[in-house]
Amino acid sequence: MFINKTWLDKLGLKMPTTWDELTKVLTAFKTQDPNGNGKADEVPFNMRRIDTTGFSLWNPFVLLNSLGITTSFAGTSPSFQGIYVKDGKVGNFLESDEYKSVVKYLHSLMEQGLIPADALTREDSAITADTVSDGKTAKSGMIVGWATTDFEKLQDQYVALPSLKATASTPDSEVTWDASQDLTELSNHAIAVSKNAPNKEAVYKVVNALYSEKVSIQQYYGDIPEDVTSSDNSTYTVNDRCFDSSTKDPCKATADRFAGWIPDSATIKNDKASEALREADSAYTKAFANVDETKDVMPIYVRPDVDDQTTITNNNTAVLNYALTKTATWIQKGGVDADWDAYVKKLDSVGLTQNVKLWQKYYDEYTKN
Amino acid sequence: MTSVSLQGKAARPEAPKMNGSSVPWNKKTKQSKTLSDHIADGLIAILVVAIILVVLYPLWFIVIASFSDPTKVAIGEVLTLPKGTNFTGYTKIFADSRIWTGYKNTLIYAFAGTALNMVVTLPAAFALSRSEFKPRRIIMFLFTFTMFFGGGLIPSYLLYKQIGILNSMWVFILPGAVSVYNLIIARSFFETSIPEELHDAAQIDGMSYIGYFVRIVLPLSSAIIAVIALYYFVGHWNDYFTGLIYIRDASKQPLQNVLQSILLANQTNSNSAGMTAVAAQRFAEQIKYGVIIVSTLPLLVMYPFLQKYFNKGVMIGAIKG
Amino acid sequence: MTQSATVASVAAGQTQVNPGMQDATQIVPVAAAATSSKRRKRRERHPAMPKHGSLLTRLGEHFKRYWQLWLMVTPAICFIGLFAYVPMYGVQLAFRDFVPSKGLTGGPWVGLKYFRQFLESPMFGNIMKNTISISLWTMVMGFIAPIILALLINQIGSTKVKGFVQTITYMPHFISTVVIVAMINIFLTPGTGLLGRFLGDTSLLGNPNLFTPIYWVTEVWQHVGWNSIIYLAALSSVDTALYEAAKVDGARRFQLIRYVDFPTILPTCGILLILNMGSVLNVGFEKVFLMQNALNLSSSEVISTYTYKIGIVSNQFSYSTAIGLFNTLINFVFLVIANAISKRVSETSIF
């Protein structure tokens, strides 16, 4: 989560540590014109809409972490379908009271106009437009995003917001944060060579070259010397313009996934993207200390077998279809308390309980050792 | 005395040249318009203008969006004129040299494909429009059946591989040689718009089916020929799927596939994190609009040439008195 | 008799618009009378085939008469036979458990398992309801609008304006679905959208009850011009003598449309209607998927998006083939029924 520090300072506010404090801050953003342009055009919480297929990256339910449920939203990890683990027990947060609390909170924000009324239908491009704005006047107070680089030219105004406590009485040990790092470390983007390739020797030479240090750097960051300056002792300095998204002459690099290997011995300087990430990460060290990597997160190596996976998927289509629609309606219009019991019953009848049981089975199996 | 003659090849009956007006009832009788005519004219004019505005505005929007800063487009600042004008969308599209191969390929596939389409579809439509041809019912049923049921992608792929048309120009032309939908439309036209009496006359004069078809039916069917040719041509032009699945060489890809790959190269999916995601997304929006213009312009240029075939009035069996 | 004289006499007797007719409305009954005399004439022109004689002689007689027609239809038969019927064995995937290593046809036969799975899925009722609702509305409105537009355009006096209007109205047909939905979003954005600024502070797309109207209105907007082309082509073949005679008999503009234009395009309407019935459950995936959001999902989940979602994580080829087959089977049944009805009510039919 990222919040506009410049606005906080301008309005003389401290970084919020609980949900109530956050509400107060957001209200101040809305009413006191912190971007100073005389218009009430601030978007206090620039929330992304809820997906129709599951919980994708950057959805607002990272707030579940404020209540002790550790999420893991990168990619298609089980968090996507609502599965979570706490102290070795698998559950689905869709039917949890914590979920109810988050929904109520979000609705209260929407009611007070702190989330745009059409947040649940706005397309990505509109959300990005409010995040990036025109590069001069900031529009968003808070977002759930990747790094301060999301804000492009305005990134200096924003800092990471450490995980909040739901209420002032929530014990510190209950506050966790989204733990997705496994997924991005162990991705399956690599090179495969067909066993029928004619010139295997030549192919292997190419693959070797790709994985060599210099070529890997160039894949990931850009050409040497135009984009990256190489000096002795494996030190590389990346050109500023590689991180300027509005430049007409971008660096030719993959910047995200590549078939290569950058050894730890190489020093990369001016890697603004990584630096931004590290900076964002550092805000959550305290929260991460409360996360046990095996007991509170579904490890990446837990994989249901084919038939059970099919059952899980089919159940999920019905479960998520129903749950997400209800969730969106509750956030928009309220009423979660009244509907809750019927909602949970319906979820169980379309396969939610069965899914949880299946995941528990595989979790136990894979974490036995 | 009639104005129809069938000397040798059927002479297409000439519509009498009146003063540029194509409205039928004004042709011969130069009656002055009554008040109700004027009211009708007025109503029609209002409706037409309304329709044009409703259709035109979004089209205009696409044009100006392709020149505007994508952020401004997303937040709704672009209404009547481009804002933050830049040509990045277009430069990214045309900087890719594959675009010209794409245009070339599409033109070849579309023209060759349409030619084959017409040669195969029209005679078949005619034959199936003959009510005395008893097998036509079962043939039509078998044809229509294929509009609904098919084996799917994999059997088709294996078949094309076996007959060797994969990764070649022929995969764009041969499998789609007959569109049953177009066949049905052409057949319906032949059934209803060509009076059977003409066939009677032709038979008396000893013309065979083929002769009748070539010399009499075709010349009188310019409207339906134009429509079917247009449908087939546009079908070829917009075809993205064939190139996607059955073509490997980039040099053989048609325009739509080239445009899609340019678009994709400037996009990321939601799983790509990092600032590249935000950065690339911005131009993808603008390119989206530019792509429409680039891929549609040739078609728009072509259409007016076909239009005159729809507007000509046909005078079969004009009589006087 | 010379050729021209033959045709002249035939043509003279053909159109039974007799001068001295008092009322343009008589054109219609005359046309009806002409139909039954058509049938009579057909029997006169084409004496029936001999009923007796062995199969071989009858076939021989048939080919002697109709070899040219067979020649004309054979290329089409060959193409369709090869490219549509040969691959059709793939349809059995819907009845087998797909095992990748055994190929398309190697998996064990499971019969109707996947069909049952679909019918019993908890979302089946909702999906079908949404699909049918969206599809029917789009079909009906998408059928009527081009006819009205064609009749309207046909009334325009100047050729230039006519051409201009035609070109403008068919252009939207070429816009890609992605751009259309992007525009829908932009125009409906509250506050800044062209329409959205008047419609409150939430986008209309968040209202499940409005999903179907937004869908079919934009569908009609996009395709009405293109779909009217076929009707305009049909209208261009109207016998101008009919106009003259009707006008002479005092028919006004609206009556001309009703009694001359409309009957001319009726056969085309009929065929297109039957063909449209054959897409009764086809609601395209792309547009619905892009317009879906968490708020309108209860109205916007259709067969095609459901099939997509069950396929995301595990590739369930057999299941999705079965659903697709179910879909097209219903479409086909509708087409056959529509065809049968049309045959009874009018003379137009596909088979």
Side-chain angles (χ1 to χ4, degrees):
Chain A
M1 295 186 294
F2 299 95
I3 197 164
N4 192 321
K5 185 84 168 49
T6 316
W7 288 4
L8 285 175
D9 292 338
K10 186 155 174 209
L11 300 177
L13 299 164
K14 281 194 317 194
M15 285 281 257
T17 54
T18 67
W19 286 4
D20 284 334
E21 287 177 19
L22 179 63
T23 313
K24 290 207 185 71
V25 164
L26 292 177
T27 316
F29 283 168
K30 180 168 147 89
T31 51
Q32 297 177 26
D33 188 29
N35 68 11
N37 64 358
K39 288 192 278 187
D41 60 350
E42 287 80 3
V43 180
F45 180 12
N46 187 6
M47 185 179 88
R48 276 190 187 268
R49 66 179 181 177
I50 309 229
D51 213 353
T52 55
T53 47
F55 293 95
S56 48
L57 215 51
W58 310 326
N59 71 73
F61 285 90
V62 287
L63 286 173
L64 283 168
N65 288 294
S66 301
L67 292 160
I69 292 187
T70 312
T71 60
S72 179
F73 284 132
T76 52
S77 82
S79 269
F80 187 80
Q81 350 166 341
I83 297 283
Y84 73 97
V85 187
K86 197 163 156 105
D87 291 332
K89 187 153 178 324
V90 175
N92 191 319
F93 57 66
L94 285 174
E95 54 177 357
S96 66
D97 287 328
E98 288 89 340
Y99 192 74
K100 198 171 16 158
S101 305
V102 176
V103 168
K104 266 164 101 173
Y105 180 64
L106 290 174
H107 172 66
S108 74
L109 289 182
M110 175 156 289
E111 245 186 341
Q112 300 173 56
L114 302 171
I115 300 179
D118 64 337
L120 292 167
T121 54
R122 284 210 302 174
E123 276 203 322
D124 282 352
S125 48
I127 294 170
T128 312
D130 274 346
T131 309
V132 167
S133 189
D134 59 357
K136 297 196 210 90
T137 317
K139 274 252 198 83
S140 301
M142 174 177 131
I143 71 163
V144 177
W146 178 254
T148 50
T149 43
D150 280 2
F151 299 96
E152 296 188 0
K153 293 209 171 62
L154 296 168
Q155 50 188 275
D156 296 328
Q157 292 193 23
Y158 292 87
V159 294
L161 175 63
S163 194
L164 302 165
K165 296 206 273 197
T167 62
S169 56
T170 315
D172 274 346
S173 58
E174 275 297 292
V175 177
T176 59
W177 188 244
D178 183 287
S180 301
Q181 53 187 3
D182 273 3
L183 215 69
T184 46
E185 272 181 30
L186 300 172
S187 70
N188 51 5
H189 298 265
I191 290 212
V193 179
S194 156
K195 76 168 194 251
N196 297 326
N199 297 326
K200 289 227 183 63
E201 281 298 310
V203 173
Y204 293 146
K205 282 206 184 112
V206 173
V207 175
N208 264 347
L210 277 174
Y211 277 80
S212 71
E213 183 179 304
K214 272 227 164 59
V215 178
S216 298
I217 298 276
Q218 293 189 77
Q219 280 184 65
Y220 197 77
Y221 290 105
D223 292 335
I224 298 175
E226 299 94 4
D227 305 325
V228 175
T229 339
S230 150
S231 23
D232 325 311
N233 316 339
S234 297
T235 312
Y236 304 89
T237 316
V238 185
N239 194 316
D240 269 348
R241 85 162 194 285
C242 295
F243 302 105
D244 181 0
S245 70
S246 61
T247 176
K248 300 240 181 347
D249 174 29
C251 298
K252 297 183 182 47
T254 61
D256 204 351
R257 283 153 213 194
F258 69 128
W261 175 253
I262 299 181
D264 290 335
S265 53
T267 321
I268 320 279
K269 290 208 174 126
N270 200 31
D271 180 358
K272 293 210 170 119
S274 300
E275 283 166 19
L277 276 176
R278 258 183 276 252
E279 208 181 287
D281 209 36
S282 61
Y284 301 99
T285 348
K286 207 166 111 184
F288 278 133
N290 294 328
V291 177
D292 181 311
E293 296 230 334
T294 319
K295 298 240 212 55
D296 292 331
V297 181
M298 179 72 75
I300 191 176
Y301 45 80
V302 175
R303 303 267 164 145
D305 75 12
V306 178
D307 284 333
D308 283 335
Q309 182 62 62
T310 312
T311 316
I312 290 178
T313 313
N314 286 342
N315 284 340
N316 273 336
T317 319
V319 165
L320 289 167
N321 186 300
Y322 177 66
L324 293 172
T325 320
K326 279 308 245 192
T327 307
T329 319
W330 288 330
I331 296 182
Q332 185 83 32
K333 304 208 188 108
V336 58
D337 283 324
D339 298 340
W340 188 255
D341 292 328
Y343 159 81
V344 173
K345 255 217 275 259
K346 174 102 196 262
L347 282 183
D348 286 337
S349 76
V350 292
L352 184 118
T353 333
Q354 187 186 26
N355 275 8
V356 171
K357 282 213 190 76
L358 284 172
W359 276 105
Q360 183 79 58
K361 172 172 124 190
Y362 286 99
Y363 174 77
D364 291 335
E365 197 179 302
Y366 279 84
T367 56
K368 235 181 348 195
N369 313 310
Chain B
M1 248 318 275
T2 72
S3 55
V4 179
S5 78
L6 279 182
Q7 310 284 36
K9 285 194 177 177
R12 198 177 183 293
E14 290 289 326
K17 296 217 181 339
M18 300 299 263
N19 30 355
S21 163
S22 70
V23 174
W25 53 85
N26 273 340
K27 276 201 163 91
K28 296 251 172 179
T29 47
K30 285 214 181 123
Q31 286 178 336
S32 57
K33 288 184 168 182
T34 63
L35 179 64
S36 76
D37 269 345
H38 281 296
I39 296 181
D41 274 347
L43 263 174
I44 289 175
I46 295 178
L47 277 173
V48 166
V49 167
I51 291 178
I52 292 191
L53 285 178
V54 166
V55 172
L56 206 49
Y57 178 71
L59 295 174
W60 176 244
F61 181 82
I62 293 180
V63 171
I64 56 182
S66 68
F67 288 112
S68 302
D69 183 330
T71 321
K72 293 201 193 290
V73 174
I75 55 179
E77 272 187 31
V78 175
L79 272 183
T80 47
L81 287 172
K83 290 252 163 68
T85 316
N86 69 80
F87 294 89
T88 320
Y90 288 108
T91 45
K92 278 191 189 267
I93 295 178
F94 285 105
D96 197 325
S97 61
R98 290 175 302 166
I99 239 229
W100 304 109
T101 3
Y103 265 121
K104 181 187 88 172
N105 287 334
T106 296
L107 283 171
I108 297 177
Y109 302 155
F111 275 108
T114 308
L116 179 68
N117 290 140
M118 302 302 279
V119 163
V120 176
T121 310
L122 289 174
F126 171 75
L128 294 167
S129 71
R130 304 305 310 166
S131 49
E132 67 274 19
F133 188 51
K134 292 288 178 272
R136 74 176 188 149
R137 269 202 71 198
I138 182 74
I139 295 180
M140 278 314 297
F141 181 82
L142 289 173
F143 279 7
T144 314
F145 189 79
T146 66
M147 278 171 75
F148 295 91
F149 301 102
L153 203 53
I154 298 172
S156 300
Y157 189 90
L158 294 173
L159 175 69
Y160 298 171
K161 186 157 167 214
Q162 252 189 324
I163 55 181
I165 58 175
L166 272 189
N167 204 27
S168 81
M169 154 169 124
W170 300 105
V171 76
F172 290 96
I173 297 176
L174 294 178
V178 183
S179 152
V180 179
Y181 186 89
N182 291 347
L183 178 78
I184 292 178
I185 293 181
R187 187 195 83 138
S188 153
F189 182 89
F190 288 144
E191 271 180 338
T192 57
S193 304
I194 312 284
E196 193 54 18
E197 285 74 11
L198 284 175
H199 188 232
D200 292 341
Q203 263 194 327
I204 294 174
D205 291 331
M207 259 195 214
S208 63
Y209 277 122
I210 295 186
Y212 174 58
F213 177 62
V214 172
R215 291 177 176 179
I216 300 184
V217 174
L218 279 186
L220 291 177
S221 310
S222 61
I224 196 65
I225 293 178
V227 169
I228 299 292
L230 183 68
Y231 280 3
Y232 272 127
F233 191 85
V234 169
H236 285 294
W237 188 273
N238 285 342
D239 178 15
Y240 161 67
F241 190 75
T242 310
L244 182 71
I245 306 283
Y246 302 116
I247 296 286
R248 201 110 307 168
D249 291 342
S251 61
K252 300 198 173 108
Q253 290 287 12
L255 184 66
Q256 296 297 336
N257 296 77
V258 171
L259 290 174
Q260 278 298 328
S261 69
I262 295 177
L263 197 54
L264 280 175
N266 283 282
Q267 259 183 359
T268 52
N269 59 32
S270 59
N271 280 339
S272 257
M275 50 160 306
T276 46
V278 171
Q281 195 65 28
R282 145 202 287 261
F283 288 115
E285 292 292 313
Q286 196 179 10
I287 293 179
K288 235 167 39 183
Y289 294 104
V291 159
I292 307 271
I293 310 279
V294 165
S295 70
T296 318
L297 220 44
L299 285 177
L300 299 178
V301 167
M302 206 192 69
Y303 183 74
F305 295 109
L306 279 181
Q307 235 175 28
K308 59 178 186 223
Y309 292 105
F310 309 150
N311 289 337
K312 261 194 194 154
V314 175
M315 276 175 48
I316 309 177
I319 45 171
K320 272 191 197 159
Chain C
M1 267 175 137
T2 65
Q3 282 188 341
S4 50
T6 310
V7 178
S9 63
V10 164
Q14 170 225 332
T15 37
Q16 311 196 10
V17 177
N18 298 315
M21 251 172 42
Q22 294 312 319
D23 194 337
T25 57
Q26 286 189 27
I27 297 178
V28 173
V30 164
T35 323
S36 52
S37 75
K38 243 197 214 162
R39 286 207 202 101
R40 221 188 330 115
K41 283 196 182 148
R42 187 170 75 202
R43 270 180 247 128
E44 288 166 1
R45 289 179 195 117
H46 307 289
M49 301 282 275
K51 287 220 185 349
H52 311 287
S54 70
L55 180 62
L56 225 47
T57 11
R58 274 188 285 146
L59 272 179
E61 182 63 39
H62 174 90
F63 277 104
K64 201 163 90 182
R65 251 194 234 188
Y66 298 126
W67 67 272
Q68 294 201 343
L69 291 183
W70 275 107
L71 190 63
M72 294 167 100
V73 86
T74 302
I77 295 182
C78 289
F79 276 109
I80 290 189
L82 178 61
F83 291 109
Y85 274 101
V86 166
M88 227 183 250
Y89 66 87
V91 111
Q92 62 181 288
L93 185 59
F95 304 99
R96 288 184 184 277
D97 259 333
F98 180 60
V99 177
S101 52
K102 296 219 188 101
L104 213 55
T105 54
W109 183 265
V110 291
L112 296 175
K113 161 176 159 191
Y114 290 108
F115 292 94
R116 234 175 291 135
Q117 187 177 348
F118 182 51
L119 262 68
E120 289 168 5
S121 107
M123 295 174 57
F124 177 73
N126 194 36
I127 294 175
M128 288 303 281
K129 178 182 100 206
N130 292 339
T131 310
I132 292 178
S133 154
I134 294 177
S135 169
L136 277 182
W137 267 102
T138 312
M139 209 167 68
V140 169
M141 303 311 281
F143 181 72
I144 297 177
I147 298 177
I148 299 181
L149 184 67
L151 291 172
L152 191 63
I153 291 183
N154 198 41
Q155 296 295 312
I156 297 179
S158 132
T159 332
K160 282 213 186 74
V161 176
K162 207 167 173 171
F164 176 72
V165 177
Q166 269 189 293
T167 310
I168 296 280
T169 49
Y170 86 76
M171 276 206 243
H173 175 78
F174 296 101
I175 307 176
S176 75
T177 317
V178 178
V179 171
I180 293 273
V181 179
M183 286 205 290
I184 295 177
N185 259 293
I186 292 180
F187 290 162
L188 288 179
T189 307
T192 53
L194 187 72
L195 301 170
R197 56 181 68 195
F198 305 114
L199 296 171
D201 60 356
T202 52
S203 165
L204 290 188
L205 280 175
N207 187 338
N209 298 327
L210 291 178
F211 186 80
T212 306
I214 297 179
Y215 186 88
W216 70 254
V217 166
T218 48
E219 275 296 286
V220 167
W221 175 87
Q222 195 183 0
H223 300 295
V224 66
W226 180 257
N227 290 339
S228 70
I229 292 181
I230 182 74
Y231 295 113
L232 281 166
L235 281 170
S236 76
S237 72
V238 163
D239 192 343
T240 49
L242 289 175
Y243 281 125
E244 290 171 39
K247 186 87 177 176
V248 159
D249 293 327
R252 287 200 293 275
R253 194 73 73 83
F254 190 67
Q255 286 177 313
L256 280 173
I257 298 181
R258 194 164 150 214
Y259 295 115
V260 180
D261 284 346
F262 204 63
T264 315
I265 58 175
L266 220 41
T268 315
C269 289
I271 291 285
L272 284 176
L273 185 61
I274 300 178
L275 284 174
N276 277 347
M277 290 299 268
S279 353
V280 73
L281 282 187
N282 281 358
V283 181
F285 165 75
E286 216 184 350
K287 186 168 175 183
V288 175
F289 186 67
L290 290 171
M291 282 171 69
Q292 267 180 357
N293 58 56
L295 284 174
N296 64 28
L297 201 55
S298 53
S299 299
S300 59
E301 190 76 329
V302 295
I303 295 182
S304 49
T305 52
Y306 175 74
T307 316
Y308 172 75
K309 283 173 190 173
I310 55 169
I312 292 183
V313 176
S314 46
N315 293 315
Q316 302 188 63
F317 288 128
S318 295
Y319 191 25
S320 43
T321 312
I323 297 181
L325 194 58
F326 174 79
N327 196 334
T328 49
L329 188 64
I330 303 229
N331 286 348
F332 191 59
V333 165
F334 267 87
L335 180 105
V336 171
I337 295 177
N339 190 59
I341 295 179
S342 179
K343 220 179 357 188
R344 208 137 310 176
V345 166
S346 68
E347 285 238 315
T348 38
S349 71
I350 297 185
F351 47 78

